[in-house]
Amino acid sequence: MWLREIIKPNRAANTLSLYTTMWAHAKPLVGTIKLKDFDVRDVESLVAHLRKTSRPSVPSKVVNVLKSSFSVAIKRKQYRYANPCSVVEVRAPRAKEGRALSVIEAKAFLKASRGTPFEALWVLLLSSGLRLTLIHHQKFDGI
């Protein structure tokens, strides 16, 4: 109901897909618990189970989806307690730090990129040390 009535008409298709997938992880474990009985222990139990059985990023995503659903239930007065997901801290795993190219690797990469449509981009990134995501979000209208 919540996904169909609240999320689908108000969020992007990718968000709906993510929420649906994360609910599929949670539903077998918490789907039978009555809303009035659901509490922090259930969230902690869910997180512990997901840490053992799923990819590292899943527990935090599932808790975020549940947190959103409880926020809606609280606003609609369908749940009269504090959001049980707000109390549980679940940290998403940190990405592994990338390895920098050696001088030899960087020279070989630049040589291979000569004449390609992205040659200037690769030169900029390698000479400045910026990440591609940082360049992507920059505005260059002052140049």
Side-chain angles (χ1 to χ4, degrees):
M1 178 178 115
W2 164 77
L3 284 169
R4 188 177 57 253
E5 292 178 12
I6 305 296
I7 301 303
K8 187 175 183 178
N10 297 304
R11 299 290 196 293
N14 284 346
T15 303
L16 175 62
S17 176
L18 172 69
Y19 276 40
T20 303
T21 302
M22 292 306 117
W23 175 241
H25 282 284
K27 187 176 180 179
L29 302 167
V30 299
T32 59
I33 302 170
K34 290 184 179 183
L35 192 58
K36 68 180 181 67
D37 297 330
F38 196 87
D39 64 17
V40 174
R41 290 176 304 227
D42 297 310
V43 179
E44 290 170 339
S45 228
L46 173 64
V47 168
H49 178 79
L50 291 173
R51 282 189 173 137
K52 293 176 191 169
T53 62
S54 62
R55 293 187 328 269
S57 62
V58 169
S60 63
K61 289 178 182 177
V62 167
V63 169
N64 286 338
V65 168
L66 287 177
K67 189 183 299 185
S68 174
S69 68
F70 273 97
S71 294
V72 170
I74 290 166
K75 285 178 189 174
R76 291 179 162 203
K77 308 231 185 296
Q78 295 168 328
Y79 189 76
R80 302 187 189 280
Y81 308 104
N83 191 329
C85 299
S86 296
V87 181
V88 179
E89 283 195 40
V90 185
R91 299 202 186 272
R94 298 190 80 144
K96 292 180 182 175
E97 192 169 316
R99 178 185 69 81
L101 296 178
S102 70
V103 173
I104 294 169
E105 291 170 324
K107 285 180 179 179
F109 183 84
L110 290 174
K111 183 178 180 182
S113 73
R114 280 195 197 121
T116 67
F118 294 110
E119 178 182 6
L121 174 65
W122 299 129
V123 170
L124 175 64
L125 290 172
L126 284 171
S127 62
S128 67
L130 292 173
R131 293 189 314 266
L132 184 58
T133 54
L134 291 175
I135 293 291
H136 178 67
H137 294 290
Q138 295 301 313
K139 296 186 189 250
F140 293 100
D141 40 344
I143 296 177

